[in-house]
Amino acid sequence: MSKFITTLLIVAALLVAALALNPSAERHRTRIKESVAERSQVEKVLGLGHLAAFVSTYHSLGVASYTTVNGKVASVGAFGLVFTAD
């Protein structure tokens, strides 16, 4: 019985951590800007990263989040980390 309670407490702690560390819309937008700037200096100069971040739509799932641009997933985040799609 104690193994079950320990497992339950660990799962509950991970769920609380995921809820608390879910990246904000601003963190997604910042990562999108950085990703575009890393890919191309021309896009960085033209400010295409700022434009993509501006038009992105933030979606929160509670324990994770993602942004879309024109219906396509631009970034995914969980536990405080944000990853962008190429």
Side-chain angles (χ1 to χ4, degrees):
M1 187 65 158
S2 73
K3 237 182 183 183
F4 174 73
I5 292 173
T6 304
T7 303
L8 189 63
L9 288 174
I10 290 171
V11 169
L14 287 173
L15 184 61
V16 168
L19 286 167
L21 296 173
N22 189 14
S24 66
E26 192 55 41
R27 288 192 65 187
H28 278 274
R29 289 185 179 106
T30 300
R31 184 63 192 124
I32 291 169
K33 290 175 198 174
E34 292 171 354
S35 177
V36 170
E38 289 171 0
R39 264 187 277 161
S40 169
Q41 290 296 323
V42 173
E43 291 176 354
K44 180 180 179 180
V45 171
L46 294 175
L48 296 180
H50 293 282
L51 180 62
F54 179 73
V55 299
S56 66
T57 304
Y58 176 77
H59 306 275
S60 178
L61 305 172
V63 295
S65 55
Y66 65 99
T67 59
T68 57
V69 176
N70 293 332
K72 296 184 180 184
V73 175
S75 65
V76 177
F79 290 101
L81 303 173
V82 178
F83 302 97
T84 57
D86 287 336

